[in-house]
Amino acid sequence: MTGRPDVPPLVAISRIRNAQRIVAVEEEGERAGLRRGQSLSDARALAPDLDSFDHDAEADMALLTSVAIWCDRYTPLVAIDQPSDAIAGGCGGLFLDISGCVHLYGGEQAMLGDVTARLRGAGFAAQAAIADTAGAAWAAARYGDRRIVEPGDQPAALGGLPLAALRLDPDCIDMLGKLGLRTIGCIADLPRAPLAARFGAQLLRRLDQALGREEEVIQPRLPAAELASEKIFAEPVALQEDIERTIGLLAANLQPLMDARQVGARRLELRLFRVDGKVAAIEVRSAGPVHTPDRIQMLFRERIAGFHEDLDAGFGFDLIRLNVLESQERSVRQGDLVAGAHAHEAFDSLVDRLGARLGVDRVLRLAAADAHIPERSFGLVSAAGDHPDSSGFAAAAEAPCVITRPLLLFDRPELVEAIAEAPDGPPVRFRWRRAVYRIVRSEGPERIGAQWWLEGRGGRSRDYYRVEDDEGHRFWIFRHGLFGRETAHPKWYMHGLFA
Amino acid sequence: MRRDQAKQTIGILRDAVAGIDRRHAGVGGAAWTDGSADGGASFGFPPLDDVFEGGFPAHALHEIRCPLTRDIGAATGFLAAMLVACLKDRQGPVVWIADPAARLESGEIFPAGLSMFGVDPSRLLVIHPAELKSALWASDEAAGCHDLAAVIFHMRGNPGLCDMTATRRLMMKARDSRVFACILRQAGEEEASAVATRWRVQARPSLADAIFEGGIGPLRLDLALERNRHGRTGQWAIAWNHRSRRFEQVPTHYVDRPALPFDRPHGAPQTGQVVALDRAS
C-alpha cells in the first residue's frame, strides 16, 4: 500500500505473544520507524495518529491465491509460499518454476520485468528475483540487490545478505547475531558439524538450499496439464465468437500432439486470463476421447451456452489457454478407417453436448448396485464416465410370472398414514398426499431386511405390499419395522407406483 | 441458423401439403402412404393396430397423458408397452428426459420394474435437467440424434414453453432422424400440439388374479386415443399380458371371479361351512 502521504500510517495488527503487534505496515509507516512485530503501544509512541485494523489472515491468503492463479499465465508450476510466523520475513510469496518458459518472453530479464511491471500495475508492491534454486530466489527477492542470480553464482550473490534471507526461525537468527554472525557469508564456510550441533540441522539445510548444494522441490498449486496450448493477444479479445475461434485454433495446435501420443482428451480446461487479473476456468468432460478441433469447440460452445449468465469478459482476455487435464488412449483415426466405429459417434456426440450444456452430473445411465434395498439396488452414474461393458442388470430373458417391482420409485419413501391390521396385516386404507385411498386388493408381504452390516442393530425390516385401490391405482407401500419386535408403532411408507 | 429456419419452414409447408392431399383422398385408405417411412410398430393387438392400419408410426412424436398425477403409473405402463413394441426390432439407446417438476411428484424410473416390463434398463440414458427450458432443449437435441431408438420427455402439466412450435420441431426431428419420440405428460390437460397421436390413460380396477384369489390381476387400463393425425380415434378398455407382453381385450361384462381352470385340477376346497346367521335382534 503506497501513495497515501497525507493520512496517518496504517497498520494491520494481530494478537501475537500476548500483545497487539503489527503484522503489516505500509511504506510511509516504515519511514516513521514502524516495523513488523512491534507492539501496538510502541508504534503509537512513534506515530500517535496511527490507524490500525485487525489482520485478516484468510483474506491475505485468498489474495495470494488469486495472484497465484494469475501467475499461471507464466508457468503451469506455481507454488504458494505460505505466510508463517515461524520464519523471519515469512510474509508469504509465490514460487514460479519457469524452467522452459523463459524463451516465450524473450529472456529472463524481460520475463522478470513483465511480472513485476504487471503486478505493480495492479497495485502490488511486488519484488521478484530469478535464481536456480527456490531458496536463493527467496533470499534475492527480499534482501538482494541482484534480481537475477546466475547459476553457480549463489555464494557471491547471497554472501552479503543478512541471515534472515535464509528462511530461519527468528530465535536462531538472534542467537547467531549474538555470536556476531550476521550474514550468509559469515556461516557459509564455517565447519558444518559444530554449526549443526548447536543450531540444528534446519540451519544447514536452509543454507544448502539457498546456495544450491541441496535440491528443493516446490509444491505446485495445481498439477501440470498433460498438454496445453495457449495464445497471447496483443489486443484483448472479448467477443464470444473470437473466443470460440481461439478454442478451435488451440485445439488444432493440440491435435498433432494428441495424434503423436495416440490419445484423445477426456477432460479439458479453458483458462481465460482477463486483463484485470481475473482468471476464468471452464472445464468440460467428454464421453469418449476427443481430438478433433470441431468436437472440442462444440463442447465448449455448449458449456458456455449452458451458463446462466454470460461469461464476464470485462475489458477482454489477453491470454487464453487450453489444457488437456485427462486423456485416454485411442487408436489413431479409427473413425476414418472402420465403418463400424461410426455407429455410436452420433450418440457419443449427443452425450457430450448434453453433458457440456447441462453438466455431466445430469446426464446419467442406470447401473446396478450390489444391494437388496430397492432404492439402493441401482445407481445413476454419469454417462461421461468410463463405460463398463455391462451395466450389471441381469438380462430379462423370460417374462416374469408376476410383476413384483414398480415402474416408478421414490428415492425417498414418503410417509403415509395407513390403517392396517396388527400385527402384520395389509393396509386397509391409507392417506397419501392429502388424499385417501381405499385398498381393495393387496398382495404381500414381501419382507426386505435391513442391511444390518451397515445399519447395525437399529435397522428395521420392511414389509412390502402391492396394493390396488378401488379405482385401479397400484402402489408399492411398506411397513417399516416388525410390529412388536422392532417397533411398537410401525410407520407406513409409499415407495413406488406400479403400472 | 437461417438454414435451420428454412428447413423448418419447408417441413411445415410439406406437412400442410400432405394434410391437403389426405383430405382430398379421403380419410384413411390410400392416403396413408408413407407408413414404411414412419416405421410402423405393432402393438400385436388387433383393435389398436387396426386404427393405424397395421401399426402406429414409430418415427414420430406421440403424447401420453394422464389427467391426474395418481395415474402416472398407468401412463408409464402404457409408455413401456409402446417402447416394447418400438424396441422389438430396433437397436440403440433410449433417452429419458425427466423434468424436475415431474420427477418430484412421480419419482424415479425403477430399473427392476422396467426390465420386468420387457425394457432393458441398460439401454436407458437418463437426463435430469435443472429446469424445463433445458429439458426441452435436451429433448430437441436427442430427437435429432439418429443413433437413438427412442426419446421420452416426461413433463408435468401444460407448460407454455412446450407449445405448437416446440412440438412441431420435435415431431420433424423425430421423423427425420427416425426416432420414436414421446411426451409423457402427467396431470396435463388436452392441448393443441403437433403430435401424431395423443393417448389418455387411466387406471382401471383389475380382476382377481387367476392363481392367487385375493391378489392383483394383470394391469388394466382405460385407454382413449384422443388425437390421431392419420386415422380414427377411439376408446378401449385393455389389459396387459405381461407374459406375452401384449395387450388383451377386457371383456365388457365380466364376473369378478374367474371360472375354474379346466386344464388344472380344482383348487383345495375352502375349509369350514357357510351357514346363514340368525338376525342379531
Side-chain angles (χ1 to χ4, degrees):
Chain A
M1 271 182 249
T2 56
R4 301 174 0 116
D6 302 331
V7 289
L10 187 65
V11 294
I13 54 164
S14 171
R15 194 164 185 85
I16 300 166
R17 276 175 287 145
N18 277 331
Q20 300 276 8
R21 284 174 202 277
I22 294 178
V23 175
V25 57
E26 61 178 341
E27 223 168 274
E28 295 293 320
E30 273 176 5
R31 233 164 277 159
L34 308 179
R35 57 189 165 70
R36 291 185 63 199
Q38 205 171 27
S39 72
L40 184 60
S41 41
D42 287 355
R44 283 215 193 282
L46 285 168
D49 53 351
L50 186 73
D51 243 354
S52 68
F53 64 92
D54 280 336
H55 174 235
D56 182 352
E58 277 176 28
D60 266 5
M61 197 59 211
L63 182 69
L64 196 60
T65 309
S66 72
V67 177
I69 294 171
W70 175 84
C71 280
D72 278 346
R73 63 189 292 131
Y74 295 107
T75 163
L77 301 171
V78 178
I80 295 179
D81 178 24
Q82 304 262 4
S84 162
D85 292 330
I87 293 172
C91 55
L94 298 174
F95 287 118
L96 276 65
D97 186 343
I98 54 166
S99 317
C101 306
V102 175
H103 66 281
L104 299 171
Y105 289 84
E108 290 179 344
Q109 191 66 51
M111 188 172 192
L112 197 66
D114 191 78
V115 174
T116 44
R118 278 177 192 265
L119 282 173
R120 289 210 176 114
F124 293 102
Q127 288 173 318
I130 296 179
D132 58 355
T133 59
W138 196 94
R142 282 166 175 78
Y143 299 96
D145 44 3
R146 280 159 68 175
R147 286 289 168 233
I148 297 177
V149 180
E150 299 296 330
D153 201 21
Q154 284 100 334
L158 306 181
L161 302 189
L163 283 174
L166 282 182
R167 292 181 284 172
L168 291 174
D169 179 5
D171 295 339
C172 181
I173 294 170
D174 279 351
M175 277 207 288
L176 286 162
K178 281 176 193 155
L179 298 175
L181 302 169
R182 292 179 197 283
T183 63
I184 296 176
C186 291
I187 60 164
D189 299 319
L190 287 183
R192 294 171 66 86
L195 213 53
R198 183 132 183 216
F199 299 101
Q202 184 70 358
L203 172 66
L204 283 180
R205 224 182 95 219
R206 289 301 190 197
L207 183 68
D208 290 346
Q209 282 174 346
L211 297 182
R213 295 180 197 153
E214 190 181 319
E215 278 288 311
E216 184 181 357
V217 183
I218 63 166
Q219 288 164 350
R221 205 172 50 85
L222 301 171
E226 286 181 35
L227 290 168
S229 171
E230 67 181 33
K231 184 146 187 62
I232 302 175
F233 298 95
E235 196 66 28
V237 294
L239 293 176
Q240 196 167 322
E241 296 83 69
D242 293 341
I243 294 171
E244 272 177 24
R245 213 162 39 204
T246 311
I247 295 169
L249 274 173
L250 296 177
N253 285 346
L254 288 178
Q255 190 179 7
L257 295 172
M258 288 199 270
D259 282 346
R261 295 168 188 220
Q262 304 199 3
V263 295
R266 287 295 301 273
R267 207 149 64 85
L268 287 148
E269 181 195 50
L270 187 72
R271 285 190 162 257
L272 300 155
F273 293 78
R274 219 160 73 175
V275 184
D276 61 1
K278 208 161 172 179
V279 182
I282 304 169
E283 198 184 304
V284 294
R285 281 163 194 272
S286 70
V290 291
H291 65 290
T292 52
D294 49 336
R295 283 284 292 277
I296 294 173
Q297 213 173 353
M298 180 276 291
L299 280 173
F300 279 105
R301 191 183 308 131
E302 294 300 346
R303 188 80 196 93
I304 293 170
F307 282 156
H308 288 290
E309 63 266 21
D310 276 341
L311 204 57
D312 184 8
F315 293 107
F317 302 107
D318 61 349
L319 191 156
I320 296 180
R321 177 185 296 154
L322 184 64
N323 286 334
V324 177
L325 298 182
E326 223 179 279
S327 63
Q328 193 186 1
E329 236 172 271
R330 67 177 167 85
S331 38
V332 188
R333 298 170 54 138
Q334 64 173 28
D336 303 339
L337 293 174
V338 189
H342 274 300
H344 297 298
E345 203 164 291
F347 178 66
D348 281 350
S349 151
L350 174 76
V351 173
D352 283 352
R353 276 204 306 282
L354 294 172
R357 171 83 73 108
L358 309 174
V360 281
D361 52 339
R362 294 186 177 279
V363 181
L364 310 155
R365 62 192 173 74
L366 296 160
D370 196 11
H372 59 280
I373 304 281
E375 71 267 28
R376 296 183 199 157
S377 67
F378 70 103
L380 286 161
V381 295
S382 173
D386 290 323
H387 291 274
D389 289 334
S390 75
S391 59
F393 293 111
E398 285 291 305
C401 260
V402 188
I403 290 194
T404 53
R405 290 287 179 270
L407 270 179
L408 296 165
L409 189 82
F410 298 107
D411 50 356
R412 280 170 191 280
E414 296 181 9
L415 191 65
V416 297
E417 296 166 31
I419 299 170
E421 290 170 39
D424 53 0
V428 182
R429 80 176 60 190
F430 66 92
R431 182 197 285 271
W432 176 53
R433 290 181 181 170
R434 288 183 293 173
V436 177
Y437 298 84
R438 205 170 62 81
I439 292 167
V440 177
R441 299 177 184 284
S442 64
E443 282 182 6
E446 177 187 349
R447 182 160 298 170
I448 296 183
Q451 290 177 314
W452 51 264
W453 57 99
L454 293 178
E455 294 165 35
R457 274 179 195 282
R460 294 181 186 175
S461 326
R462 301 171 176 187
D463 274 353
Y464 277 90
Y465 290 89
R466 299 171 57 204
V467 298
E468 183 178 304
D469 75 348
D470 49 1
E471 285 170 346
H473 305 115
R474 295 135 180 259
F475 307 99
W476 206 34
I477 71 179
F478 68 86
R479 179 178 30 226
H480 198 216
L482 303 181
F483 183 82
R485 226 161 75 196
E486 291 177 353
T487 172
H489 303 285
K491 285 183 174 154
W492 288 85
Y493 289 89
M494 167 69 61
H495 204 180
L497 304 173
F498 281 97
Chain B
M1 199 63 202
R2 187 170 291 166
R3 189 183 289 173
D4 281 358
Q5 275 174 358
K7 235 183 190 173
Q8 264 181 38
T9 320
I10 289 173
I12 292 170
L13 292 175
R14 251 186 217 148
D15 273 11
V17 171
I20 294 166
D21 281 353
R22 208 173 303 130
R23 228 171 294 145
H24 280 277
V27 179
W32 184 226
T33 47
D34 51 348
S36 59
D38 275 18
S42 156
F43 283 110
F45 177 54
L48 281 184
D49 289 334
D50 286 351
V51 176
F52 301 101
E53 279 137 32
F56 66 90
H59 303 147
L61 177 68
H62 302 265
E63 177 179 334
I64 297 170
R65 77 176 183 97
C66 54
L68 298 172
T69 303
R70 59 181 73 168
D71 280 312
I72 184 63
T76 313
F78 182 65
L79 172 62
M82 264 180 127
L83 274 179
V84 169
C86 283
L87 300 181
K88 221 180 297 173
D89 40 26
R90 208 190 144 103
Q91 295 299 310
V94 176
V95 173
W96 189 295
I97 298 148
D99 180 51
R103 204 146 52 84
L104 203 66
E105 282 195 342
S106 65
E108 198 69 61
I109 192 85
F110 189 31
L114 207 60
S115 66
M116 282 186 167
F117 233 91
V119 180
D120 181 9
S122 57
R123 285 174 81 169
L124 238 62
L125 183 72
V126 182
I127 317 278
H128 286 171
E131 82 280 297
L132 186 76
K133 199 175 152 204
S134 35
L136 195 61
W137 173 84
S139 45
D140 219 55
E141 288 286 311
C145 176
H146 53 77
D147 273 357
L148 298 184
V151 178
I152 317 293
F153 182 15
H154 182 182
M155 67 161 97
R156 182 186 175 278
N158 299 66
L161 213 57
C162 189
D163 56 358
M164 192 72 181
T165 326
T167 48
R168 182 173 285 281
R169 206 169 50 230
L170 273 178
M171 172 80 186
M172 281 179 344
K173 284 204 169 176
R175 190 189 57 198
D176 292 346
S177 48
R178 307 173 63 76
V179 168
F180 169 75
C182 185
I183 293 175
L184 178 63
R185 191 193 295 277
Q186 86 191 40
E189 298 302 313
E190 199 170 346
E191 75 172 9
S193 63
V195 294
T197 65
R198 181 172 55 241
W199 307 81
R200 190 189 66 222
V201 183
Q202 270 172 299
R204 188 183 173 91
S206 69
L207 293 174
D209 191 78
I211 304 163
F212 173 47
E213 202 177 306
I216 300 173
L219 161 73
R220 291 160 29 117
L221 303 170
D222 275 330
L223 189 66
L225 180 54
E226 292 180 328
R227 179 193 152 93
N228 182 4
R229 262 168 67 154
H230 307 298
R232 287 183 287 126
T233 55
Q235 274 197 349
W236 301 269
I238 52 172
W240 172 255
N241 185 335
H242 61 257
R243 295 190 192 100
S244 62
R245 287 183 177 147
R246 269 172 201 210
F247 283 117
E248 282 170 358
Q249 188 79 46
V250 169
T252 35
H253 300 291
Y254 57 84
V255 282
D256 215 357
R257 292 270 295 275
L260 289 172
F262 63 90
D263 56 345
R264 272 178 282 165
H266 290 288
Q270 290 192 331
T271 53
Q273 198 176 356
V274 179
V275 293
L277 291 170
D278 290 335
R279 286 171 65 103
S281 55

